[in-house]
Amino acid sequence: MRLILLLLLSSLSLQIMAGNLSITIEGVNSVQEVNIRSMLSIEQFNNKEVTNPSRLRYLHSQADSEIRTALQPFGFYRPQIKSQLNKTDQDWVARYSITPGKPVLISKLDIQLNGDASNDKTFKQLLANSPLRQGEPLIHSQYEQLKKQLSSLAVERGYYQATLTRHRVEVNLSDYSATIMLYFDSGPRFNIGEISFAPNPFDDDYLRSYASFSSGDPVQNSSLIDLQSALIDTDYFQRVEVRPLWNEMSDTEVPVYVDLQANKRTKYHLGLGYGTDTGARAKLGMTKRWVNRQGHQFHTQLLTSEIITNLSAEYSIPGKNPRQDRYSILFSLLDENSDSVETRSYSIGVSRQKQLGSWQQVMALNYQQEESTFSGETDTSYFLIPQINYSTLSTEDRLHVKNGYSLSAQLRGSSKAMISTEDFVQTRLSGKGIYSFTDKFRLLTRAEAGTTWVDNFDALPASLRFFAGGDNSVRGYDYKSLGPRNDSGDVIGGRNLLVGSLEVDYRFKENWGVAAFIDSGNAFNDTRLSLHTGTGIGLRWFSPVGPVRFDLAVPQDNGDDNSIHLHFNLGTDL
């Protein structure tokens, strides 16, 4: 009986002493507090039930020493600390009130840069930007960061024998000062020697044109990685490795070897799909990744759907700088037969593609012959069309866009003096933007505008007229169903175009979301613009190859067919 009574009293005593621990730290900034908590042994019991008060009191007694150690990297060696550990009615509270005091100041800063790097502006700039200054507080993390930056920069810029010959921090507590000694010897800077390639189907000189460096330039890791990425992006190779051969270097010359394995020469494409604009569709294509040792390529593709059939071919020739310049010879056959447009055309042309920073420029000259039928009447037109396009895209992930934008601009025209049916000038601007409010909510915007200057609009074929309506235009309306009409009520397209869209989507699961949107726009001939508006909701499946969109949209204008329209589309947001 006594044993049972003792056990009950012991249990009751433990219950009275039990409770959760909370730790409060005052008098320091957030960065210092994080470091203090990482070194406090008592922190392991924070927000947990205390089952061993004796152990808790012991760890609390160690806190003063641990806090002092945690503050030293910030230059505080004489902090004043008030520690309390109290038991309330239910919980434990540990409180540490800290006055860091004055920091240790750097009284002497001795930094020496020796070797070839002593004449390197990049190293001089690094030292000039360092926060370490005589008379400033000693912060150990700044000192350690500078050591890492010197070593990393040496590797990046080809100083592969660099070493810290002396690195030391001395703290004198008698006068409360610090001395920093940091001696860095870079040694010689190594240069690129011969650049060679593993056996491959291309001329070595052509592959060297992808490099941003040449023999004699300093070895830089970023340049080697850049060449590796550029060769992978060509689609010529399935594996590329660029590496310096240090065991074969002569004096300061280091050979660079590019080990690579070619892809299959021919690639075939086959795809099936469906879109409300086009109906069922199929794609069959073939790409010759290289035609010859100079990297020429050939691509042909057949796209067929219920209303559009297009056969195209492109022969492309890399320019002097193949990463930025490319020339192409293009051929296309097009047959479109929708409710609004019936047209057949062929075109042949040449183009030059050039990368200008983040913008891509395409200059082209195309000869086009087209037969267009409106209200049962078929006209044939001929145009030699010079045009220039600019486009840019900014996003971290093209398939799953959180934030980003795309912009494009086009200017084209023709003249009767150059094998053309009619004089015209046409410009077209478009843009898309995506902004994420949170991880789940996004705002998607889209706008497109175009205008045409032409004396005889009737002479323009369908491909040179503006239409609106459809999956990527104004939802709630059929494909190319919006625009000026003739006396028979048939849509014949317009001189001008203005379309805009606002959409908000919400991702309620990892790969699923819902959306609400409003689209508005029209094609028109004069300044009397009559906008057509569609609103709706949608379901989104964020697939591995990009979003799949299912939309239900309703026209909002009097006189329009107010029935619900289904829109289905697959493609990237930008």
Side-chain angles (χ1 to χ4, degrees), residues 69-106:
T69 302
L71 287 174
Q72 288 178 7
F74 303 97
F76 298 107
Y77 284 78
R78 294 175 179 173
Q80 296 179 1
I81 305 169
K82 294 181 180 179
S83 304
Q84 292 180 330
L85 179 64
N86 298 317
K87 177 70 169 66
T88 64
D89 293 340
Q90 294 182 346
D91 295 318
W92 292 84
V93 177
R95 185 181 303 275
Y96 304 102
S97 181
I98 304 168
T99 302
K102 293 182 179 180
V104 169
L105 301 182
I106 301 173

Side-chain angles (χ1 to χ4, degrees), residues 483-485 494-498 521-532:
R485 298 175 182 268
R495 299 169 182 259
N496 309 305
L497 176 70
L498 185 62
N522 203 358
F524 56 100
N525 277 329
D526 50 36
T527 57
R528 292 174 296 176
L529 171 61
S530 176
L531 294 177
H532 292 262

Side-chain angles (χ1 to χ4, degrees), residues 427-430 447-451 466 496-499:
T427 183
R428 191 167 191 156
L429 304 173
S430 63
E448 186 174 10
T451 189
F466 290 117
N496 309 305
L497 176 70
L498 185 62
V499 172

Side-chain angles (χ1 to χ4, degrees), residues 393-406 432-445 503-507 510 540-549 571-574:
L393 185 147
S394 175
T395 183
E396 293 182 355
D397 186 345
R398 182 76 186 275
L399 292 179
H400 304 94
V401 181
K402 291 186 176 181
N403 295 284
Y405 64 87
S406 64
K432 295 181 180 180
I434 298 176
Y435 175 73
S436 293
F437 297 107
T438 67
D439 290 339
K440 296 182 178 295
F441 279 99
R442 295 190 309 169
L443 173 66
L444 298 89
T445 62
E503 179 176 320
V504 175
D505 67 20
Y506 171 73
R507 186 174 297 207
E510 182 178 359
R540 303 287 180 263
W541 174 43
F542 300 99
S543 75
V545 294
V548 179
R549 307 173 189 87
T572 59
D573 289 322
L574 295 177

Side-chain angles (χ1 to χ4, degrees), residues 7 70 225 241:
L7 290 174
I225 294 172
E241 183 182 358

